[in-house]
């Protein structure tokens, strides 16, 4: 998996997606596609930013066939909530591009002494580790996950979403705890 190296690459290129994408395409695209033994990019939105995390996720899945796993950096409930929503959006693209999905690493909430959210982030996680992204997104924005997903997508990802979204009460995104 490729993880903190992505944050280093983002810093090297001042978070310029085009420069980051160029370096990633040189390493994972073309003749290297499928031969790097990298199965996932581990994206830390707290280090990369939400938009850059989503754009790298889209690139990994659509261009390289590499999964995206979202992970926290001991974020508060607010940071975890945003990472969970972006992870759910990324999972939707993974399903459409037939890219494998892995559990996201957002379970660090249990290690924190308290939370800045009320109700807490933990209250949106089931006992078996599933995050109810639909309820969480409504609590933060007053919008459904599908409404938020449409606002988060970049132009590159829109090509995969010609069909109308199916409304659900729970996301298929889940947490690794």
């Amino acid at each position: 998996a490729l993880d903190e190296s992505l944050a280093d690459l983002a810093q090297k290129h001042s978070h310029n997606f085009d420069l980051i994408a160029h370096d990633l395409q040189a390493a994972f695209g073309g003749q290297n596609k499928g031969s790097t033994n990298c199965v996932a990019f581990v994206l830390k939105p707290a280090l990369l930013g939400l938009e850059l995390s989503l754009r790298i996720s889209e690139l990994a899945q659509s261009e390289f066939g590499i999964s995206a796993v979202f992970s926290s950096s001991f974020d508060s409930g607010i940071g975890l909530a945003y990472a969970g929503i972006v992870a759910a959006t990324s999972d939707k693209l993974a399903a459409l591009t037939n890219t494998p999905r892995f559990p996201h690493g957002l379970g660090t909430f249990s290690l924190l002494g308290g939370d800045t959210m009320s109700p807490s982030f933990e209250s949106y996680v089931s006992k078996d580790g599933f995050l109810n992204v639909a309820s969480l997104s409504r609590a933060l924005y007053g919008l459904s996950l599908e409404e938020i997903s449409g606002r988060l997508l970049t132009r590159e990802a829109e090509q995969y979403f010609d069909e109308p979204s199916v409304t659900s009460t729970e996301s298929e995104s889940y947490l690794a705890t």
Side-chain angles (χ1 to χ4, degrees):
L2 188 64
D3 54 11
E4 274 81 5
S5 310
L6 288 168
D8 293 341
L9 185 62
Q11 187 173 9
K12 173 185 172 186
H13 292 305
S14 301
H15 288 76
N16 180 311
F17 175 74
D18 293 331
L19 296 175
I20 294 166
H22 180 267
D23 283 1
L24 291 174
Q25 286 169 338
F28 296 98
Q31 294 176 344
N32 295 329
K33 185 176 180 179
S35 65
T36 63
N37 294 323
C38 181
V39 296
F41 284 9
V42 179
L43 304 167
K44 295 184 181 270
L47 302 178
L48 296 170
L50 294 172
E51 181 181 355
L52 184 57
S53 295
L54 188 58
R55 291 186 78 187
I56 292 172
S57 166
E58 292 167 3
L59 178 70
Q61 293 175 74
S62 62
E63 296 291 322
F64 313 139
I66 294 175
S67 299
V69 174
F70 287 82
S71 180
S72 71
S73 300
F74 292 99
D75 305 328
S76 70
I78 299 292
L80 290 168
Y82 282 104
I85 291 168
V86 172
T89 301
S90 176
D91 280 354
K92 188 175 180 182
L93 179 61
L96 293 171
T97 59
N98 295 318
T99 305
R101 289 184 286 176
F102 297 102
H104 299 289
L106 305 176
T108 56
F109 63 88
S110 63
L111 302 173
L112 301 176
D115 198 348
T116 56
M117 280 182 60
S118 181
S120 70
F121 179 81
E122 185 174 17
S123 69
Y124 295 96
V125 181
S126 68
K127 290 179 183 173
D128 57 353
F130 284 86
L131 175 62
N132 187 335
V133 179
S135 291
L136 181 60
S137 65
R138 279 191 299 275
L140 288 177
Y141 294 108
L143 301 172
S144 70
L145 176 61
E146 287 74 22
E147 291 170 311
I148 291 173
S149 294
R151 294 172 189 213
L152 290 175
L153 294 177
T154 61
R155 281 176 271 188
E156 293 90 354
E158 288 177 353
Q159 65 181 319
Y160 295 104
F161 297 99
D162 292 335
E163 300 175 13
S165 298
V166 176
T167 304
S168 64
T169 56
E170 285 196 27
S171 168
E172 292 181 14
S173 292
Y174 51 101
L175 304 176
T177 56

